[in-house]
């Protein structure tokens, strides 16, 4: 009978030695809750010595606010001799608060009757602090994600805006409310200069925050976000510090976008101005190349006017009563004067510098008007100029002078290309046609020397020319004019001799096949 008791004492001693080694607070109680043992780790954790913890002394370690609930749970578990688990705070001797995770297991004697509890306390203060820090971090990350989503969303809006500030502001004001904490009661407004955009639910409210939009360090507007209902005070009134960062970032972003769009608009305007100057210079250059032909053409009616005037003078000096003949001669003088005036008028239209203006026009009419001027140069160079114009072509919305400039330049190039062509084949043909896609196609065919091999890539480049005294700007400017009108320009080599240059122009946007 002594051996089992000895074994029991040895086992209990070994158990006590083991509990002193593990880094967990351990204490034991009897069935009434009196503490009968605590290990060293429990004493270090609570600041109570084994003597102070004995009996009901261990209860003093419980935080006063947690004591009642812990004891109630303990009693309920003890009445049924079942396990007990909880987390609660303890106050150490130095006044510091620690959080422990507790698990109590019931002990039974040899007859199976409850003999008490063995309780393990694990300090989880750091874990709880880590979890709390993680929750705060998660909230902050959530707010930062909303901030990034907002700014990324604005970037996407900019990418799909087509460069329109109106579109950017209209879509951005929709993006703001979901980025705030109380999105269901959030409204927004953006103002830049004379542009103003509001969310559908916008109302003037006392709970709002604003950020100033600046362009080149000058205030030009604001971003406003407001709550439609009162909310608890946070970092910036009812708003979070993260939300202040968002609205400031949006304001800075919109200011930079406005600056960029303004700069792009100035660049476009400058490019347009330079393009118009270059286009005008090219027209003047073509007129300079045609100067001898134009002088010859104007000289004819001027010579006729001089001849007819001399005839009138002689009739008057003879004191003849040839009134009908004089009237006829005066009529011819008038016709020749009008003819000369028409030539000068066409030259003035082509040469004078003016702001580009697009009008509703018909390509065949433009080409016929160019033919009257180009035929002068063609005759001087013994070249036949022939028109082959398709009927019923759709109308265009284009700059008539610029399109005529392109046609005239292609005709002039064709004439120049036939310097060494025999008389039989010296012909330039201007054709119009309707493409299957609905665009108007214009082609100018010559039977000249053709396009040199290897020059295909350079042909439309500025300052590239195959002429000895050419500027090399004609084809470059012509292609830029056609591209600006939404068309394209290219060339092909003819089977026998020469080349054909093509360009296309889209029909007037509202054209539906009937005129």
């Amino acid at each position: 009978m002594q051996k089992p008791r000895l074994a029991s004492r040895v086992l209990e001693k070994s158990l006590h030695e083991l509990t002193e080694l593990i880094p967990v607070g351990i204490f034991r109680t009897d069935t009434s809750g009196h503490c009968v043992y605590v290990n060293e780790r429990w004493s270090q954790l609570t600041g109570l010595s084994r003597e102070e913890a004995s009996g009901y002394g261990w209860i003093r370690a419980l935080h006063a606010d947690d004591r009642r609930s812990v004891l109630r749970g303990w009693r309920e578990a003890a009445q049924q001799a079942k396990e007990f688990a909880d987390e609660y705070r303890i106050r150490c001797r130095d006044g510091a608060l620690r959080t422990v995770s507790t698990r109590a297991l019931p002990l039974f004697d040899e007859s199976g009757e409850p003999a008490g509890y063995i309780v393990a306390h694990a300090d989880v203060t750091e874990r709880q602090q880590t979890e709390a820090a993680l929750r705060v971090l998660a909230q902050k990350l959530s707010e930062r994600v909303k901030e990034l989503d907002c700014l990324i969303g604005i970037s996407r809006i900019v990418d799909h805006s087509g460069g329109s500030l109106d579109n950017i502001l209209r879509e951005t004001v929709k993006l703001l409310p979901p980025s705030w904490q109380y999105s269901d009661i959030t409204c927004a407004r953006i103002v830049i200069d004379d542009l103003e955009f509001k969310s559908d639910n916008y109302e003037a409210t006392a709970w709002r925050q604003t950020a100033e939009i600046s362009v080149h360090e000058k205030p030009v507007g604001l971003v406003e976000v407001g709550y439609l209902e009162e909310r608890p005070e946070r970092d910036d009134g009812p708003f979070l510090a993260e939300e202040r960062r968002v609205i400031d970032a949006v304001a800075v972003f919109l200011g930079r976008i406005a600056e960029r769009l303004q700069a792009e608009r100035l660049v476009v305007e400058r490019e347009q101005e330079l393009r118009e100057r270059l286009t005008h210079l090219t027209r003047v250059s073509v007129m300079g190349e045609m100067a001898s032909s134009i002088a010859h053409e104007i000289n004819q009616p001027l010579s006729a006017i001089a001849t007819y005037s001399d005839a009138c003078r002689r009739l008057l000096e003879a004191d003849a009563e040839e009134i009908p003949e004089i009237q006829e001669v005066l009529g011819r003088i008038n016709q020749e004067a009008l003819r000369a005036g028409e030539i000068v008028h066409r030259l003035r239209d082509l040469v004078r510098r003016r702001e580009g203006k697009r009008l509703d026009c018909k390509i065949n009419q433009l080409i016929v008007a160019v033919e009257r001027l180009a035929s002068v140069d063609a005759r001087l160079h013994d070249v036949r100029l022939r028109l082959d114009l398709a009927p019923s072509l759709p109308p265009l919305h284009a700059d008539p002078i610029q399109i005529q400039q392109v046609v005239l330049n292609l005709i002039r190039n064709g004439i120049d290309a036939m310097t060494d062509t025999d008389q039989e084949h010296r012909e330039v043909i201007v054709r119009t046609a309707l493409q299957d896609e609905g665009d108007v196609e214009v082609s100018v065919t010559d039977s000249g020397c053709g396009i040199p091999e290897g020059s295909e890539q350079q042909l439309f480049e500025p300052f590239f020319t195959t002429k000895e005294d050419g500027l090399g700007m004609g084809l470059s400017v012509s292609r830029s004019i056609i591209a600006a009108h939404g068309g394209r320009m290219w060339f092909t080599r003819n089977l026998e001799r020469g080349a054909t240059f093509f360009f296309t122009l889209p029909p007037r946007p509202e054209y539906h096949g009937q005129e």
Side-chain angles (χ1 to χ4, degrees):
M1 296 298 294
Q2 295 298 323
K3 288 183 180 181
R5 292 177 182 174
L6 178 61
S8 177
R9 286 196 296 271
V10 171
L11 181 61
E12 185 172 345
K13 181 181 179 183
S14 299
L15 181 61
H16 285 181
E17 291 175 350
L18 178 62
T19 60
E20 293 298 333
L21 295 175
I22 61 177
V24 176
I26 301 292
F27 76 91
R28 284 179 57 190
T29 69
D30 58 17
T31 54
S32 62
H34 284 78
C35 177
V36 296
Y37 166 77
V38 296
N39 69 351
E40 183 62 26
R41 175 57 182 159
W42 192 92
S43 292
Q44 293 173 354
L45 185 63
T46 63
L48 298 178
S49 66
R50 294 179 178 179
E51 291 74 16
E52 291 172 327
S54 62
Y56 289 115
W58 65 273
I59 296 176
R60 288 183 297 171
L62 302 178
H63 190 281
D65 294 339
D66 296 344
R67 189 174 299 167
R68 179 175 298 180
S69 62
V70 172
L71 294 178
R72 182 173 61 251
W74 177 279
R75 285 194 296 270
E76 291 174 356
Q79 289 173 1
Q80 303 176 43
K82 64 179 184 179
E83 292 185 16
F84 171 73
D86 197 1
E87 282 190 5
Y88 49 84
R89 294 167 294 174
I90 61 173
R91 186 175 296 279
C92 303
R93 188 182 298 277
D94 60 2
L97 288 177
R98 310 292 293 179
T99 301
V100 295
S101 177
T102 297
R103 186 174 183 185
L105 297 176
L107 298 175
F108 299 93
D109 59 17
E110 296 175 356
S111 62
E113 292 297 322
Y117 273 87
I118 184 167
V119 183
H121 281 171
D123 187 353
V124 295
T125 306
E126 284 76 15
R127 188 200 74 190
Q128 283 198 336
Q129 290 174 346
T130 300
E131 289 176 350
L134 287 174
R135 284 193 296 270
V136 172
L137 179 60
Q139 182 179 3
K140 290 183 177 180
L141 285 175
S142 175
E143 296 301 326
R144 293 309 299 268
V145 167
K146 289 166 67 176
E147 175 183 346
L148 291 174
D149 283 345
C150 182
L151 297 178
I152 291 173
I154 297 175
S155 298
R156 290 173 179 163
I157 289 170
V158 172
D159 291 340
H160 295 85
S161 68
S164 168
L165 186 59
D166 288 42
N167 292 340
I168 294 172
L169 300 183
R170 183 180 297 106
E171 295 303 317
T172 299
V173 83
K174 298 176 184 177
L175 197 64
L176 293 177
S179 303
W180 260 248
Q181 185 179 14
Y182 305 107
S183 56
D184 55 331
I185 60 167
T186 302
C187 62
R189 180 172 71 112
I190 300 176
V191 178
I192 293 184
D193 293 331
D194 56 346
L195 300 176
E196 181 180 32
F197 294 92
K198 304 175 182 178
S199 59
D200 293 339
N201 64 338
Y202 178 80
E203 294 180 12
T205 174
W207 309 287
R208 67 191 186 105
Q209 58 181 175
T210 61
E212 190 176 80
I213 300 174
S214 296
V215 173
H216 301 301
E217 300 182 355
K218 293 182 179 180
V220 296
L222 59 85
V223 181
E224 176 186 339
V225 175
Y227 288 149
L228 300 175
E229 300 174 8
E230 186 176 5
R231 282 296 179 265
E233 288 290 313
R234 300 299 295 269
D235 306 311
D236 181 17
F239 303 100
L240 299 172
E242 290 81 0
E243 291 166 344
R244 165 50 61 186
R245 287 197 293 269
V246 173
I247 194 171
D248 288 343
V250 169
V252 170
F253 197 45
L254 291 178
R256 290 175 179 171
I257 291 170
E259 286 180 3
R260 193 191 78 186
L261 293 178
Q262 185 183 81
E264 289 176 353
R265 185 169 60 253
L266 291 175
V267 169
V268 169
E269 291 174 356
R270 183 60 175 167
E271 287 180 348
Q272 178 65 25
E273 180 183 354
L274 292 175
R275 186 182 298 111
E276 289 178 359
R277 288 185 178 183
L278 184 56
T279 302
H280 175 251
L281 175 62
T282 307
R283 286 202 301 272
V284 173
S285 174
V286 171
M287 293 301 102
E289 293 174 4
M290 296 174 62
S292 60
S293 301
I294 294 167
H296 176 75
E297 185 72 4
I298 294 177
N299 187 57
Q300 287 182 344
L302 292 179
S303 298
I305 290 171
T307 301
Y308 294 144
S309 298
D310 187 57
C312 284
R313 181 181 59 77
R314 288 197 304 270
L315 288 171
L316 291 172
E317 287 177 351
D319 197 21
E321 297 181 359
E322 303 289 344
I323 301 302
E325 289 79 357
I326 294 175
Q327 289 177 337
E328 181 182 353
V329 173
L330 290 174
R332 291 177 182 176
I333 291 174
N334 182 63
Q335 291 176 357
E336 295 299 331
L338 291 174
R339 178 184 169 194
E342 184 181 355
I343 295 172
V344 173
H345 179 74
R346 288 199 298 267
L347 285 173
R348 184 183 63 184
D349 282 346
L350 280 170
V351 173
R352 70 178 178 177
R353 188 178 169 198
R354 75 203 209 314
E355 183 181 354
K357 186 176 182 180
R358 297 195 181 188
L359 306 170
D360 290 342
C361 53
K362 296 183 177 181
I363 189 64
N364 286 350
Q365 293 177 355
L366 299 182
I367 291 175
V368 168
V370 169
E371 188 268 344
R372 294 170 185 163
L373 189 61
S375 60
V376 176
D377 197 44
R379 287 195 301 271
L380 185 65
H381 291 83
D382 294 325
V383 173
R384 294 181 300 278
L385 177 59
R386 181 159 61 90
L387 304 184
D388 182 9
L389 308 180
S392 304
L393 294 175
L396 309 175
H397 187 71
D399 185 321
I401 298 299
Q402 288 189 355
I403 301 304
Q404 287 179 321
Q405 176 178 349
V406 173
V407 175
L408 181 60
N409 185 67
L410 295 179
I411 293 173
R412 281 283 308 150
N413 286 350
I415 292 173
D416 290 342
M418 292 187 290
T419 302
D420 299 325
T421 302
D422 59 85
Q423 181 62 41
E424 181 183 355
H425 298 99
R426 294 167 72 87
E427 183 178 51
V428 173
I429 306 173
V430 181
R431 295 184 176 91
T432 58
L434 182 64
Q435 290 190 326
D436 293 338
E437 298 82 2
D439 288 352
V440 172
E441 179 184 275
V442 178
S443 63
V444 178
T445 302
D446 67 70
S447 53
C449 58
I451 306 300
E453 293 291 340
S455 62
E456 296 86 348
Q457 300 299 322
Q458 298 173 285
L459 193 61
F460 292 99
E461 295 296 323
F463 306 112
F464 176 80
T465 181
T466 57
K467 303 177 185 179
E468 292 183 2
D469 55 351
L471 288 176
M473 295 302 298
L475 287 177
S476 174
V477 169
S478 295
R479 188 169 68 168
S480 69
I481 289 173
I482 297 304
H485 281 77
R488 63 189 187 97
M489 175 176 282
W490 73 100
F491 81 94
T492 60
R493 292 184 174 88
N494 300 335
L495 293 177
E496 294 185 2
R497 56 169 56 86
T500 300
F501 281 81
F502 300 84
F503 68 85
T504 61
L505 292 169
R508 189 177 62 198
E510 65 274 18
Y511 177 72
H512 300 294
Q514 296 180 351
E515 184 62 18

